[in-house]
Amino acid sequence: INAEYMGHLMGEPITLENLSQLISDWGGVAPLAIKPCFSDSEYEGKEYCYVTYRDHESILQAHDNLLQRDFPKVHFASLREVDPSRIIQRLKASCGQVLSDLGEDPTREGLLKTPHRWASALLFLTKGYQQSLRTVVNGAVFKHEARDLVLVKDINVFSMCEHHLLPFWGKAHVAYLPDGKIIGLSKLARITEIFSRRLQVQERLTRQIADALNDTLQPLGVAVIIEAAHMCMQMRGVQQTGTSTVTSAMLGEFEANPRTRSELLGLIQHSKL
């Protein structure tokens, strides 16, 4: 937060109290804490400070709300963006401790670089926390008068089960009925990745993709169907290999109109190119 700019907007010097109130009002989400980036001194005269929220959804909501107000002096970032090397070091230390607790020797040749590889992989697998819907869509919404069904089939989905931190993967089919606007086709895959590259459950993932597309386009209808295999079911627990889980989210015409829903399902089952 640029304190001088904030003070100019408010007509008074910036303080912890009025900064917190302004961020709550304009961002639509109350922050948990606010502190200077590089100092424990007072806020007056400090150019930037950290704003901490309860969860990543709150961060993304506040970020998008502030951008909609064209507020130019706020940049929301998690610690991994502000100081990624610090996160890598923390994750490496945690991995080394886990290896020791499992009875392994973290210093042996085969495991010497494992903590760094694991930390880097984990950051990649959860990179969706660093992305916002507004940034990913990036204005790729266009006027279009036709209302014919748009479907992108077989979008790759790779995610991590939040209960066991084991992967699940599969395919997503994302469709919508335009109502004056269409979106770049690649954005359907990118929106899917925003939410899949997080710790997830498939049920929530399906709904989040549908809600995000619905919020972006306000179409006549949105449908998302995901079929995925879960390693938490296959390599542990019930150990049922070959199983798959199917979830769907139907909004608007896809929920209300059986003929529209049947058309969608027929297109999904149609042979590939």
Side-chain angles (χ1 to χ4, degrees):
I1 308 298
N2 186 301
E4 182 179 355
Y5 180 77
M6 295 286 283
H8 172 73
L9 287 179
M10 301 173 69
E12 58 182 289
I14 197 69
T15 66
L16 176 60
E17 290 74 19
N18 58 25
L19 175 60
S20 179
Q21 186 61 51
L22 185 62
I23 292 294
S24 297
D25 292 345
W26 285 20
V29 184
L32 284 180
I34 301 176
K35 71 173 184 176
C37 284
F38 307 113
S39 172
D40 292 326
S41 58
E42 295 299 320
Y43 285 84
E44 289 82 0
K46 287 297 172 185
E47 187 172 2
Y48 291 102
C49 62
Y50 288 135
V51 181
T52 305
Y53 288 91
R54 185 175 305 278
D55 52 38
H56 286 87
E57 291 304 316
S58 298
I59 293 174
L60 296 177
Q61 180 182 341
H63 178 271
D64 287 347
N65 287 341
L66 288 166
L67 284 178
Q68 288 174 9
R69 289 177 171 268
D70 294 324
F71 190 76
K73 302 294 183 179
V74 174
H75 173 63
F76 278 77
S78 69
L79 179 58
R80 62 196 272 184
E81 183 178 346
V82 174
D83 190 359
S85 63
R86 182 179 173 190
I87 294 298
I88 289 285
Q89 291 304 316
R90 285 183 175 184
L91 290 173
K92 286 171 61 177
S94 299
C95 183
Q97 184 60 56
V98 168
L99 291 173
S100 296
D101 290 344
L102 292 176
E104 267 290 357
D105 176 11
T107 64
R108 71 176 175 86
E109 182 182 13
L111 294 176
L112 198 57
K113 296 183 179 180
T114 295
H116 182 81
R117 295 190 189 103
W118 176 79
S120 299
L122 192 59
L123 290 183
F124 176 81
L125 295 172
T126 59
K127 66 179 182 177
Y129 288 125
Q130 303 304 110
Q131 299 172 313
S132 72
L133 181 62
R134 183 188 181 99
T135 302
V136 167
V137 173
N138 195 28
V141 175
F142 312 100
K143 293 181 180 179
H144 183 72
E145 296 305 319
R147 296 185 172 185
D148 302 312
L149 189 153
V150 178
L151 166 66
V152 175
K153 300 196 301 182
D154 297 325
I155 298 171
N156 287 324
V157 172
F158 299 98
S159 194
M160 297 278 286
C161 165
E162 68 180 29
H163 299 145
H164 303 97
L165 299 186
L166 290 173
F168 66 91
W169 70 94
K171 300 289 186 180
H173 313 297
V174 180
Y176 68 97
L177 287 170
D179 187 19
K181 293 183 290 186
I182 58 173
I183 191 171
L185 293 177
S186 68
K187 302 303 182 182
L188 300 181
R190 293 189 184 280
I191 290 171
T192 299
E193 187 177 43
I194 291 175
F195 298 104
S196 63
R197 292 297 190 181
R198 303 179 181 185
L199 302 183
Q200 277 288 10
V201 295
Q202 185 176 326
E203 297 89 339
R204 182 174 68 236
L205 170 61
T206 308
R207 174 59 65 166
Q208 286 178 332
I209 297 169
D211 287 343
L213 185 56
N214 196 51
D215 291 343
T216 301
L217 291 179
Q218 296 86 47
L220 296 174
V222 173
V224 178
I225 298 174
I226 296 178
E227 181 172 3
H230 292 249
M231 292 308 291
C232 58
M233 281 186 61
Q234 296 194 15
M235 68 182 297
R236 59 158 300 281
V238 293
Q239 300 180 65
Q240 292 295 307
T241 60
T243 58
S244 65
T245 300
V246 180
T247 51
S248 69
M250 304 282 177
L251 306 177
E253 283 294 305
F254 288 108
E255 180 180 24
N257 192 328
R259 292 183 60 183
T260 304
R261 189 162 59 250
S262 294
E263 179 186 2
L264 168 68
L265 297 176
L267 289 172
I268 290 175
Q269 294 169 4
H270 193 271
S271 61
K272 300 178 182 179
L273 294 175

